[in-house]
């Protein structure tokens, strides 16, 4: 999609991506026709925008990652102390991850665009963790690469907690952000 799309074409693409997320979350093997039906569009319209299923999956990955970047930037992490920024970024990211569970939890081949977006996401995370370390939230000798991996794992686990399906409050991004940040900074040990 090199050139800008008309407004109606953009709406169609957005409808297709949102429908694909919903349909594929229910049935990972769903057809393009099922996705078109869920989007309220014809199969031909879907194929006009996405030549095949792989192109659709790649577009989903790019869209979801771009939304993660937007969520991170919307939190304005540079405008607050590291603890506040970490909390805001985490809550915003959890909101996006909750809406795009299928896409963000299934491995899809990275296009160069998706890979570049992931690098930007990871750079934001490293920068925030570096600030957290500078501001004393993390130990001066903490391995920030490992800490980043743990942070990503906590984000995923927060959305997939056992019993969360039965408790709608278990998906509250603010409560989950507090849980993730508390676990990241204090672990399971006693608090001072």
């Amino acid at each position: 999609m090199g050139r800008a799309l008309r407004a109606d074409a953009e709406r169609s693409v957005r409808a297709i991506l949102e429908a694909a997320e919903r349909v594929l979350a229910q049935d990972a093997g769903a057809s393009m026709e099922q996705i078109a039906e869920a989007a309220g569009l014809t199969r031909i319209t879907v194929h006009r925008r996405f030549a095949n299923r792989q192109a659709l999956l790649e577009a989903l990955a790019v869209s979801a990652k771009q939304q993660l970047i937007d969520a991170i930037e919307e939190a304005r992490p540079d405008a607050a102390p590291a603890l506040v920024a970490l909390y805001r970024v985490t809550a915003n990211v959890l909101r996006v991850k909750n809406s795009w569970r299928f896409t963000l939890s299934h491995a899809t081949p990275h296009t160069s665009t998706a890979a570049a977006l992931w690098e930007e996401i990871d750079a934001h995370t490293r920068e925030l963790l570096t600030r957290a370390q500078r501001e004393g939230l993390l130990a001066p000798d903490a391995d920030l690469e490992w800490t980043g991996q743990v942070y990503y794992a906590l984000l995923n686990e927060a959305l997939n907690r056992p019993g969360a399906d039965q408790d709608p409050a278990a998906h509250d991004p603010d409560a989950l952000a507090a849980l993730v940040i508390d676990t990241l900074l204090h672990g399971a040990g006693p608090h001072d």
Side-chain angles (χ1 to χ4, degrees):
M1 289 192 260
R3 60 181 190 188
L5 298 174
R6 294 186 334 255
D8 60 329
E10 285 182 32
R11 279 190 300 275
S12 291
V13 168
R14 190 170 39 253
I16 293 165
L17 293 175
E18 289 171 359
E21 174 65 28
R22 286 191 316 274
V23 170
L24 293 171
Q26 296 292 317
D27 175 9
S31 68
M32 295 283 275
E33 190 167 357
Q34 290 170 297
I35 293 167
E37 185 179 315
L41 301 167
T42 66
R43 184 180 52 80
I44 293 169
T45 300
V46 173
H47 279 287
R48 191 177 313 131
R49 300 291 172 230
F50 305 102
N52 54 43
R53 182 183 178 82
Q54 186 60 35
L56 176 59
L57 291 174
E58 290 170 359
L60 276 168
V62 167
S63 178
K65 285 176 177 62
Q66 183 59 57
Q67 288 183 46
L68 284 172
I69 290 170
D70 294 346
I72 291 166
E73 291 172 353
E74 182 182 296
R76 298 182 24 240
D78 296 334
L83 181 60
V84 173
L86 192 55
Y87 173 81
R88 286 194 299 207
V89 165
T90 301
N92 283 2
V93 164
L94 286 166
R95 282 182 186 89
V96 173
K97 288 179 78 61
N98 193 42
S99 297
W100 294 92
R101 283 175 178 256
F102 172 81
T103 301
L104 293 171
S105 65
H106 285 76
T108 54
H110 279 284
T111 62
S112 59
T113 303
L117 291 171
W118 174 252
E119 283 299 316
E120 188 174 343
I121 292 164
D122 201 42
H124 279 296
T125 302
R126 284 192 312 271
E127 183 178 312
L128 190 51
L129 292 176
T130 299
R131 281 187 53 221
Q133 190 174 47
R134 250 192 341 262
E135 292 180 25
L137 296 174
L138 298 170
D141 60 345
D143 178 340
L144 293 185
E145 186 174 323
W146 173 249
T147 304
Q149 288 178 277
V150 170
Y151 175 67
Y152 293 143
L154 288 170
L155 288 170
N156 288 328
E157 291 304 317
L159 291 173
N160 298 305
R161 293 173 59 195
D165 294 343
Q166 290 79 25
D167 181 11
H171 294 291
D172 173 39
D174 293 317
L176 291 175
L179 178 64
V180 167
I181 301 309
D182 185 55
T183 305
L184 180 70
L185 297 180
H186 307 290
H191 297 282
D192 296 334

